[in-house]
Amino acid sequence: IVKTNTLIEEITGEPVRYIRPPYGSYSNSLLMQINMTPVLWSVDPEDWNTDHTGQVVKSVGANVKCGDIILLHDSYLSSVQAALRIVDALQGKGYEFITVDQMISD
């Protein structure tokens, strides 16, 4: 994590402030070492468990509400395709997408 953050900071000039811990698992000891805020999710369509884009879209649509964070994995093509469809569908319903910074400051 430290090596990756160093590279990101060298490239962007900005420190990395947030971490999405794998499996949502982290410890206070880890947080003290990395000085980052963990960001978890409230909607998990288990996109890693299917390659059916429509199923992922349907799962998110059935479970999402205002203020949620949706977990998707960009290592799966079906998840990337689902994300594009989810954004369009939710924006069509009036949802607005914001950054974690915006969520925390509100």
Side-chain angles (χ1 to χ4, degrees):
I1 294 169
V2 172
K3 286 181 183 180
T4 301
N5 287 353
T6 300
L7 288 172
I8 291 170
E9 189 169 344
E10 286 174 3
I11 292 168
T12 66
E14 298 289 329
V16 180
R17 299 187 339 215
Y18 304 107
I19 183 169
R20 197 274 295 159
Y23 310 104
S25 179
Y26 63 93
S27 67
N28 288 334
S29 172
L30 172 67
L31 294 181
M32 290 176 65
Q33 292 176 48
I34 61 174
N35 193 30
M36 299 171 73
T37 302
V39 176
L40 301 179
W41 53 91
S42 46
V43 176
D44 181 1
E46 296 186 2
D47 59 318
W48 52 268
N49 199 25
T50 182
D51 61 358
H52 192 273
T53 300
Q55 183 177 339
V56 174
V57 173
K58 184 177 178 180
S59 176
V60 170
N63 294 294
V64 73
K65 61 188 181 312
C66 184
D68 278 340
I69 294 178
I70 303 164
L71 174 65
L72 291 170
H73 300 83
D74 63 357
S75 56
Y76 302 102
L77 178 59
S78 57
S79 297
V80 173
Q81 293 168 338
L84 296 171
R85 288 176 49 187
I86 289 165
V87 168
D88 288 344
L90 293 179
Q91 284 180 329
K93 291 181 179 181
Y95 282 88
E96 179 183 348
F97 290 82
I98 62 173
T99 66
V100 170
D101 278 337
Q102 291 170 309
M103 287 182 84
I104 290 174
S105 68
D106 285 347

